[in-house]
Structures are given as C-alpha cells and as structure tokens.
Amino acid sequence: MKDFRLDERLERDSELVTVLGLCQLRLMKDSRWPWLLLVPQRQAVTEIFQLTPLDQTLLTFESNTVAAALKRVTDARKINVGALGNMVSQLHVHIVARFEGDPNWPGPIWGFGTAEPYRDDAKQKFLKTLVEAL
Amino acid sequence: MKDFRLDERLERDSELVTVLGLCQLRLMKDSRWPWLLLVPQRQAVTEIFQLTPLDQTLLTFESNTVAAALKRVTDARKINVGALGNMVSQLHVHIVARFEGDPNWPGPIWGFGTAEPYRDDAKQKFLKTLVEAL
C-alpha cells in the first residue's frame, strides 16, 4: 500500500470508515442516501479489469460483503453498485442503499442535486451498526 | 439454466449477443453509447451478493472480460460498470463505454433522454468487432 495515495476529491467528499484487505471503506459526506465507497489501495488503476486477478477477486468479495451488510442494516429496497469514474479517474466503487421515494428514485444518484451533510449523531449511529454488520 | 426466464423489459430493450458461462451478453437498443448488459442466467436473483460465491467469481470474470474488450474496441475514455436494478429487479450489470462530450458526459447514462435506435450496418459492425475481441 505504500505507493497508494487517495485522490484529493475522494478525500474531500468522503471519510474513512475502515480498511479492508484491499480497499478503503469510506462514507460519502451526503446524508441523502446511505452511500459508501470502496477504494482499492492500488496506485494508477482506473478500471477494475486493470487489477490483478487476485485483486479483482478481493474487490468482488469486499464489495459483496459491504453490499450485503448495507442491505441488512438499512433494509433498503435495492443496493446500487457502480464503478463510473468519469470525474475522478482513481478506481472507486459506489455502494448505495436505495429506497422507494428517495431523492431521484428510481433514477441514479450520481450528478443529482447537492450533498446534504450528516448530523454527527446520525452518522455515528449508522457507522456503528454498519461496522458491526461487516 | 432451465429455470431462467429473462425479464420482459430487458428482453424488449436489448438483444442477445452471445451466451457466456454464466451470463447472457446483450446489447442495449440505444446507439447513443456502446452499452452492453450482462444478465446472469439465475432465476430470482436481484443482488450480486445473492449469487453463490462461484457465480460471483464468474460474474467478475465475465464482467471484466467484456469491459476490457469494450475498452479495446471503442478506445473509450472510461468504462462505466453498474448494477442498479431500481426499475428492473432481475440482476443485470451495465457495461458502458463513455467518451468526453457524449450524451450527459460526465454524468450517468441511466434515466437520461430517449433511446436512439442503431442503424443496422453500424450495429453489425460494432458487434462483429466486439465478439472478435472477447
């Protein structure tokens, strides 16, 4: 991991929750949706297929573990998983809990409206239940 | 695969390109972006984490193979990969080639504007180069 350096925009827009085997698990600073990021700690990788086969498998495992935990703790209608990277090229995977009637449902979350910060107590409560569920 | 039945909306909005080990590879009937779908041939699965571990690994392999081929044949700026499923719950993974200045760049493709059909010759040419690159 020693060569890994987090993209500045990801650093600014999200906060570290924990470090898994391959990825940083981060929480987006936007309370409109329970919205997590996985950022593989590999430098200069922009596409999943550029990871080694082992890292691809690790990412799959971590992504599915996090998605299943997020579904469990939020009871979401649907989990959205996406690796876009049109604005921030450093590889990162969005894992988002969606609910009928949430902002822009059933459309995508990306590029919609303006982030709304968490209240500190709501954030701490969510992160505690999430980390316990991992 | 005998119990698998493709969702009617996916059937209508996309056409079969080929069948891989786990998934149907399909082309969306929308020429605005080179836009593929992978549909695991498993009934009643809506989230990637509901697949067996083997199927999760197969999906990762097929998704990355298709994404790398799509990047190669289109020379796209970025490949977008997403499993949303807010409208069609049957598990399906979008794999989309994105270019600076394409419709809604750098925003997401989902829910944007109206599909534009392919000209038959353009579609056949694209599918031929894609299948050769797989």
Side-chain angles (χ1 to χ4, degrees):
Chain A
M1 321 290 174
K2 67 185 191 309
D3 291 334
F4 176 74
R5 183 141 171 274
L6 186 67
D7 172 89
E8 283 175 13
R9 180 156 174 184
L10 297 182
E11 174 95 54
R12 191 184 67 219
D13 293 347
S14 65
E15 65 172 75
L16 185 66
V17 178
T18 189
V19 177
L20 305 172
L22 172 66
C23 297
Q24 290 189 10
L25 175 62
R26 303 183 65 88
L27 174 71
M28 284 294 280
K29 294 175 181 172
D30 189 340
S31 64
R32 294 175 296 166
W33 311 275
W35 180 357
L36 303 169
L37 289 185
L38 281 176
V39 188
Q41 295 182 109
R42 297 288 183 262
Q43 199 57 21
V45 171
T46 61
E47 302 281 0
I48 298 172
F49 59 78
Q50 294 168 343
L51 293 170
T52 66
L54 174 59
D55 283 351
Q56 289 178 26
T57 302
L58 278 169
L59 178 60
T60 298
F61 176 74
E62 294 179 6
S63 170
N64 288 328
T65 301
V66 168
L70 187 60
K71 166 86 174 168
R72 224 158 41 233
V73 303
T74 64
D75 199 26
R77 163 74 177 270
K78 193 67 191 67
I79 302 296
N80 290 178
V81 179
L84 284 74
N86 303 336
M87 296 203 248
V88 171
S89 66
Q90 183 173 71
L91 179 59
H92 57 288
V93 178
H94 303 264
I95 302 177
V96 190
R98 302 299 306 273
F99 303 84
E100 278 186 83
D102 74 13
N104 212 34
W105 175 267
I109 61 159
W110 301 283
F112 179 78
T114 307
E116 291 176 11
Y118 275 93
R119 292 196 341 264
D120 196 55
D121 55 342
K123 185 178 72 180
Q124 295 308 331
K125 189 176 166 194
F126 170 58
L127 289 182
K128 184 169 183 290
T129 56
L130 176 71
V131 169
E132 285 173 356
L134 281 176
Chain B
M1 321 289 175
K2 66 185 193 305
D3 292 334
F4 176 73
R5 182 141 172 272
L6 186 66
D7 172 90
E8 282 176 13
R9 179 156 174 184
L10 297 182
E11 174 96 52
R12 190 183 70 218
D13 292 348
S14 65
E15 64 173 75
L16 185 66
V17 178
T18 188
V19 177
L20 305 173
L22 173 65
C23 297
Q24 290 189 9
L25 175 62
R26 303 182 66 89
L27 175 71
M28 285 293 280
K29 294 176 181 172
D30 189 340
S31 64
R32 293 176 296 166
W33 311 275
W35 182 357
L36 303 169
L37 289 185
L38 281 175
V39 187
Q41 296 181 109
R42 296 288 183 262
Q43 199 57 22
V45 172
T46 61
E47 302 281 0
I48 298 172
F49 59 78
Q50 294 167 344
L51 293 170
T52 66
L54 173 60
D55 282 351
Q56 290 178 26
T57 302
L58 278 170
L59 178 59
T60 297
F61 176 74
E62 293 178 7
S63 171
N64 288 328
T65 301
V66 168
L70 186 61
K71 165 87 174 168
R72 224 157 42 235
V73 303
T74 63
D75 198 27
R77 162 75 176 270
K78 194 67 191 66
I79 302 295
N80 290 178
V81 179
L84 283 74
N86 303 336
M87 296 202 247
V88 171
S89 66
Q90 183 173 70
L91 179 60
H92 57 288
V93 178
H94 303 264
I95 302 177
V96 191
R98 301 300 304 273
F99 303 84
E100 277 186 83
D102 74 11
N104 211 35
W105 174 268
I109 60 160
W110 301 285
F112 179 78
T114 307
E116 291 176 11
Y118 275 93
R119 293 195 341 261
D120 196 54
D121 55 342
K123 185 178 72 182
Q124 295 308 330
K125 189 177 165 193
F126 170 58
L127 289 182
K128 184 169 183 291
T129 56
L130 175 72
V131 169
E132 285 172 358
L134 281 175

